[in-house]
Amino acid sequence: MAEPESKRVKTEYELTYWPDIPGRGEVVRLLFEEAGVPYADTAKGEKAVRTVLSYMAAENVGDETNPPLFAPPVLKHGDLVINQLPNILLYLAPKLGLGPASGDGVYHLNAIALTILDGFLNEVHETHHPIATAQYYDDQKEEAKKRAKAFREERLPKYLGYVQRVLDGKKSGGGKWLYGGELTYVDLVLFQCLDGTKFAFPKTVENLKKGGEYDGVFKLYDAVKERPNIKAYLESEKRVDYADGIWRHYPELEEDEE
Amino acid sequence: MAEPESKRVKTEYELTYWPDIPGRGEVVRLLFEEAGVPYADTAKGEKAVRTVLSYMAAENVGDETNPPLFAPPVLKHGDLVINQLPNILLYLAPKLGLGPASGDGVYHLNAIALTILDGFLNEVHETHHPIATAQYYDDQKEEAKKRAKAFREERLPKYLGYVQRVLDGKKSGGGKWLYGGELTYVDLVLFQCLDGTKFAFPKTVENLKKGGEYDGVFKLYDAVKERPNIKAYLESEKRVDYADGIWRHYPELEEDEE
């Protein structure tokens, strides 16, 4: 079932995601930006929402080459169309020089990516929508306060501790980057997910940073931010501002009640 | 960074998971059982809990070969130690003859597996623990009722509809199996996850089945259950009964209140 990759070498990458929020799509963008590889981004076009909805439509059963998809982000590369963020990262990493193409490193990096996405993306989304994704935040605000408290006090420190352990381990190769002594895509995943979590819970993250237990994690965050391509991207108009997406800032979710 | 796989050919696989619940570990077990490949299972040993906890310990930073882990299941194969269920499946599938080793199929199957695990495993866990994993169910029962209602009415039909779309698509190869016209690991993932969801929400799943919209999904479930190796395993004492794990049955989570 192997397919020669060469036929896609000159094909453009196309990312599809919701417009006007960074979200899961932003993690994919950072890989392209760091690698300096051009990509089309349907979120920036006029048909952004329509493109997302056509992929998710109940009558869409895929095509000759691809099974149907559940939700964005979606990556199109030649005739291949795939979704699921960790899966898109897995596909892109070796092609963009941000991870190995085979061997143990593939699975080590995939495990690290999945864990960071669980902690700093999926669980952050749950803090403002603990009852139902399809309902408004205001209709689940009281439950959100409880979930956010557990996230701030238990889950976030636990995930930060995990990332610090990865940096402290021998396989990080010195503790500057997460794996193998050089920047890989999981460092970019960590940067975006921690950046979003900082936006959502600024006081909480600042206090955890001051505590000093996760210095390596915050140094890594700063190091990614200073990568020339990333820095230029973050300062450009291409970078999407946080809004009502996965990483939202509701001040009441950082307040402890009596 | 590629590593010759041959050196691990004769090494035994070792699965580590919590004892006495099927959970995420059960999905891994089904792959070994279908393939007829022997594996050690620390959950069945005396040191089961201790083994899990040693992997998750705050002072465990991994070793020369592996980064540290966040949570079980854990797969040990030779000197490789990896975690994260979708990652373990990705590693095992080609070795057990349950998925391609390279090419587009790797990413198609990974996306299907991730989506099924999101819908029928992760979201089921959220129904009884919508506020805090570390707190008792009884302390979040009211919130659980609300979350479970949204799961039963919106999320579960949406995920069943997705699986049916995959079966209806050309890439399923006829609609008996999810991908490529033959059984792959994602069919086993679907079986275990739907089996657990049936245990947790028996009336809901029965009603959805009766509706007739997802006939292909339930046929696939039955077809996996009748695979000789799977059938023998399910009838054996090795199969772990459902209990207070991911898939739990609380009758009140199926009841609509005024």
Side-chain angles (χ1 to χ4, degrees), chain B residues 107-123:
Chain B
Y107 305 97
H108 286 148
L109 289 169
N110 190 38
I112 295 171
L114 284 161
T115 308
I116 293 171
L117 293 171
D118 278 348
F120 301 87
L121 190 157
N122 297 330
E123 293 208 20

Side-chain angles (χ1 to χ4, degrees), chain A residues 1-3 8 55-61 63-70 79-84 86-87 90-91 95 100 102-104 106-108 110-112 114-115 118 126 129-135 143 146-147 150 154-155 158-159 162 165-166 168-171 179, chain B residues 1-3 8 55-61 63-70 79-84 86-87 90-91 95 100 102-104 106-108 110-112 114-115 118 126 129-135 143 146-147 150 154-155 158-159 162 165-166 168-171 179:
Chain A
M1 293 174 85
E3 181 143 342
R8 287 195 191 123
Y55 277 125
M56 296 168 68
E59 61 276 13
N60 187 336
V61 295
D63 57 32
E64 299 280 346
T65 317
N66 304 283
L69 311 172
F70 185 77
D79 58 0
L80 179 75
V81 180
I82 53 172
N83 77 329
Q84 277 282 2
N87 187 48
L90 186 76
Y91 177 80
K95 292 172 182 66
S102 64
D104 291 355
V106 169
Y107 306 97
H108 285 148
N110 190 38
I112 295 171
L114 285 161
T115 308
D118 278 349
E126 294 287 342
H129 276 76
I131 301 301
T133 304
Q135 288 167 25
E143 294 89 352
K146 292 185 191 178
R147 175 101 188 200
E154 294 161 27
R155 304 300 289 173
K158 193 170 173 177
Y159 280 105
Y162 160 78
R165 280 198 286 137
V166 175
D168 291 342
K170 293 234 168 82
K171 282 304 282 184
Y179 192 80
Chain B
M1 292 176 87
E3 180 144 343
R8 288 194 190 123
Y55 278 126
M56 297 169 67
E59 60 276 14
N60 187 336
V61 295
D63 57 31
E64 300 280 345
T65 316
N66 304 283
L69 312 172
F70 186 76
D79 57 2
L80 179 75
V81 181
I82 53 172
N83 77 329
Q84 277 281 2
N87 186 49
L90 186 77
Y91 177 81
K95 293 172 182 66
S102 63
D104 290 356
V106 170
Y107 305 97
H108 286 148
N110 190 38
I112 295 171
L114 284 161
T115 308
D118 278 348
E126 294 287 342
H129 276 76
I131 301 300
T133 304
Q135 289 166 24
E143 294 89 354
K146 293 187 191 177
R147 175 101 189 201
E154 295 161 27
R155 304 300 288 173
K158 192 169 174 178
Y159 281 104
Y162 159 78
R165 280 198 284 139
V166 174
D168 292 341
K170 293 232 168 84
K171 283 302 284 183
Y179 192 80

Side-chain angles (χ1 to χ4, degrees), chain A residues 12-32:
Chain A
E12 196 180 41
Y13 295 100
E14 182 187 85
L15 170 69
T16 288
Y17 195 65
W18 298 110
D20 305 325
I21 51 168
R24 290 180 169 88
E26 197 64 14
V27 183
V28 183
R29 289 187 192 108
L30 287 185
L31 268 65
F32 288 122

